[in-house]
Amino acid sequence: MSFPNIWHHRKVADTASRGCEICYKPTTSVLATPGKQDFFYTCVTHLKDKSLCSPIVDQEALAAKKKKEMDEELEKVKKEYEEKQRLKKEREEAKDKKKDGDKEKDKADDEKSKSSDDKEEKLGDKKAPAGTETPKEEEEPRVFALQKNFHQQRVDRKRQAERAKKLREQMRDPNFFPSVPKDQP
């Protein structure tokens, strides 16, 4: 019996942890085939080892994720730009209204608007890095392909277990062993 070389990384409860197939340390990480034909416990550090397995990356999902992130970033920048344009337009309207008034009030208002502009820019600068500083968790790969020799070991072990099971079933059959001769020699 052979199964595809596609292994999904799963986590089990701490109470169900077993020894790693490679280093025998207790672990909760399991690599299992999609049809649950075979599984084995392995440490997370071994999953990063290229001599054991390599991750299978879904390029379409990765491209879709990047496109979604770019669209979100583009929308965010558009909103910021529209907000700045709206504030700029409001300031110009306020200045036009003030031109009708005294010039002394204009000077004081200009200083206030400049200081408020500086404050808004500082707040905008503070907001931008805070939003970009939050690092997104890099998702670890969830699907792996075992190296050729490790996969073959798993297939051989599975075949050997099936042969042993079949032999046990045959041995339960009373006709499996030869009977004692009943004829006279």
Side-chain angles (χ1 to χ4, degrees), residues 47-60:
L47 296 177
K48 296 174 184 174
D49 185 11
K50 298 296 180 194
S51 62
L52 172 69
C53 61
S54 57
I56 299 173
V57 180
D58 186 10
Q59 295 296 334
E60 293 175 6

Side-chain angles (χ1 to χ4, degrees), residues 2-32:
S2 182
F3 41 86
N5 191 8
I6 299 173
W7 299 81
H8 293 275
H9 180 228
R10 304 278 187 243
K11 292 282 190 176
V12 295
D14 290 334
T15 57
S17 66
R18 291 189 188 167
C20 173
E21 287 280 325
I22 298 162
C23 66
Y24 306 109
K25 292 181 182 177
T27 183
T28 58
S29 296
V30 178
L31 283 182

Side-chain angles (χ1 to χ4, degrees), residues 105-120:
K105 290 181 182 178
D106 285 341
K107 289 180 184 179
D109 290 336
D110 286 339
E111 290 176 11
K112 288 181 183 178
S113 64
K114 285 182 183 179
S115 64
S116 65
D117 290 345
D118 293 337
K119 289 179 183 177
E120 289 175 8

